[in-house]
């Protein structure tokens, strides 16, 4: 049960997905930078080990995410995916810089989630090609490493913005409570995600008894 005045924002499954993804991302970023930056490479001077850390983290990341999906709350995850995919007129207004009430995720968060998912796929595909290209030269392409490095640069920019909003910016940093403890204050949620809070008070269509739906 949440404290009075607080409402549930993220389920245990959602929080586990987020923190597993974030932890793997930081290890991949750190080990990737050691492989990429000559100064860091010289400092660490154990390239084969760093390469192994990078690769095994990538495998562990994919396996952990698959495991969470199998044992976690799949229905809840599907519902969240649907919420993230839907861009309505308010989202478009919000993106144009106008004031518009937002659902459980604002339009910026929806874009961030879409980019994070697309990048995870592209990192994995280009990373696999980098690995496989070393074994079979027919799969070695100059553009693969350019893509992998380019993704890293764009991810870094997204990450800095994300961390600023989650940890520093006073109006949004309350969200960290939702991603750690699972709940946020109802007042904060009403201010930032009005449509979500309002929608929570209405019964979902399928929970309304059939007889009640047919009554005049
Ligand atoms: C998700 C799956 C991933 C896989 C399978 C993967 C795989 C690889 C492989 C095989 C290499 C080549 C290592 C070498 O031969 O030197 C590499 C390099 C690298 N990776 Fe990843 N990686 C992944 C994700 C990431 C992520 C999330 C980041 C950063 C955010 C990243 C950053 C880098 C960097 C900076 C390099 C060095 C590239 C260079 O030398 O120019 N990787 N990765
Ligand atoms: C210490 C590091 C991190 C912190 C403190 C953090 C914090 C948060 C918080 C508080 C939220 C919930 C926002 C809300 O209430 O809706 C969130 C959501 C999210 N996080 Fe993180 N995060 C971290 C790392 C990462 C990393 C590394 C990634 C991806 C590479 C990531 C991707 C996302 C995505 C896609 C969402 C959902 C959409 C959004 O809110 O933008 N996070 N994070």
């Amino acid at each position: 049960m949440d404290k009075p005045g607080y409402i549930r924002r993220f389920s245990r499954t959602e929080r586990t997905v987020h923190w597993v993804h974030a932890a793997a991302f930081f290890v991949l970023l750190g080990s990737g930078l050691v492989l990429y930056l000559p100064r860091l490479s010289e400092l660490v001077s154990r390239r084969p080990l760093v390469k192994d850390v990078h690769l095994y983290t990538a495998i562990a990341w994919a396996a952990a995410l698959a495991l969470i999906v199998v044992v976690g709350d799949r229905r809840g995850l599907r519902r969240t995916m649907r919420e993230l995919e839907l861009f309505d007129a308010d989202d478009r207004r919000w993106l144009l810089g106008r004031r518009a009430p937002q659902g459980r995720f604002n339009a910026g968060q929806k874009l961030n989630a879409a980019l994070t998912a697309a990048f995870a796929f592209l990192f994995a595909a280009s990373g696999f090609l980098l690995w496989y290209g070393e074994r079979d030269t027919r799969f070695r392409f100059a553009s693969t490493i350019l893509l992998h490095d380019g993704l890293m640069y764009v991810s870094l920019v997204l990450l800095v913005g994300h961390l600023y909003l989650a940890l520093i910016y006073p109006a949004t940093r309350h969200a960290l409570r939702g991603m750690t403890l699972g709940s946020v204050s109802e007042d904060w949620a009403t201010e930032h995600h009005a449509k979500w809070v309002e929608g929570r008070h209405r019964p979902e269509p399928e929970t309304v008894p059939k007889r009640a739906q047919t009554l005049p």
Side-chain angles (χ1 to χ4, degrees), residues 111-179:
L111 277 182
N112 185 38
L115 286 175
T116 302
F119 282 20
F121 174 77
L122 291 172
F123 264 125
S126 55
F128 174 79
L129 275 182
L130 287 176
W131 172 82
Y132 198 67
E134 274 184 18
R135 279 139 195 93
D136 185 339
T137 47
R138 284 176 306 163
F139 291 90
R140 196 179 285 179
F141 312 109
S143 50
T144 313
I145 196 106
L146 288 179
L147 173 61
H148 208 73
D149 292 349
L151 289 168
M152 179 200 59
Y153 280 116
V154 185
S155 301
L156 260 179
V157 175
L158 281 178
L159 181 68
V160 170
H162 188 62
L163 293 186
Y164 174 71
L165 291 172
L167 301 172
I168 299 172
Y169 190 56
T172 49
R173 67 182 179 208
H174 178 70
L176 188 58
R177 195 182 192 282
M179 205 36 110

Side-chain angles (χ1 to χ4, degrees), residues 5-213:
Y6 283 77
I7 54 177
R8 192 119 291 256
R9 178 144 178 83
F10 293 114
S11 68
R12 196 179 294 236
T13 302
E14 288 168 325
R15 284 177 280 153
T16 312
V17 167
H18 177 268
W19 292 119
V20 163
H21 188 79
F25 180 88
F26 283 120
V27 178
L28 287 164
L29 177 65
S31 50
L33 283 176
V34 173
L35 294 171
Y36 182 64
L37 298 170
R39 290 279 296 271
L40 270 183
S41 277
E42 273 171 38
L43 201 72
V44 176
S45 77
R46 297 187 65 182
R47 194 172 177 93
L49 175 70
V50 178
K51 233 167 113 165
D52 281 352
V53 168
H54 196 75
L55 266 175
Y56 285 115
T57 306
I59 296 167
W61 161 77
L65 286 188
L67 184 71
I68 301 167
V69 171
V70 171
V71 301
D73 172 15
R74 269 200 302 277
R75 265 182 75 183
L77 283 180
R78 264 201 300 272
R79 211 170 32 236
T80 302
M81 297 256 288
R82 278 199 300 273
E83 283 172 332
L84 285 167
E85 276 166 13
L86 187 87
F87 270 83
D88 63 14
D90 283 328
D91 289 328
R92 286 190 284 277
R93 270 205 294 277
W94 190 94
L95 283 177
L96 293 172
R98 304 208 198 111
R99 278 186 80 84
Q102 296 292 289
R104 183 164 167 233
F105 298 98
N106 67 39
Q109 291 177 306
K110 289 178 180 177
L111 277 182
N112 185 38
L115 286 175
T116 302
F119 282 20
F121 174 77
L122 291 172
F123 264 125
S126 55
F128 174 79
L129 275 182
L130 287 176
W131 172 82
Y132 198 67
E134 274 184 18
R135 279 139 195 93
D136 185 339
T137 47
R138 284 176 306 163
F139 291 90
R140 196 179 285 179
F141 312 109
S143 50
T144 313
I145 196 106
L146 288 179
L147 173 61
H148 208 73
D149 292 349
L151 289 168
M152 179 200 59
Y153 280 116
V154 185
S155 301
L156 260 179
V157 175
L158 281 178
L159 181 68
V160 170
H162 188 62
L163 293 186
Y164 174 71
L165 291 172
L167 301 172
I168 299 172
Y169 190 56
T172 49
R173 67 182 179 208
H174 178 70
L176 188 58
R177 195 182 192 282
M179 205 36 110
T180 47
L181 301 177
S183 62
V184 290
S185 103
E186 187 160 0
D187 292 344
W188 178 85
T190 307
E191 197 179 326
H192 294 270
H193 302 278
K195 283 200 295 192
W196 172 53
V197 178
E198 193 194 319
R200 292 176 75 253
H201 298 307
R202 272 195 246 121
E204 290 192 12
E206 60 264 38
T207 63
V208 177
K210 276 231 151 54
R211 235 164 51 81
Q213 286 177 12

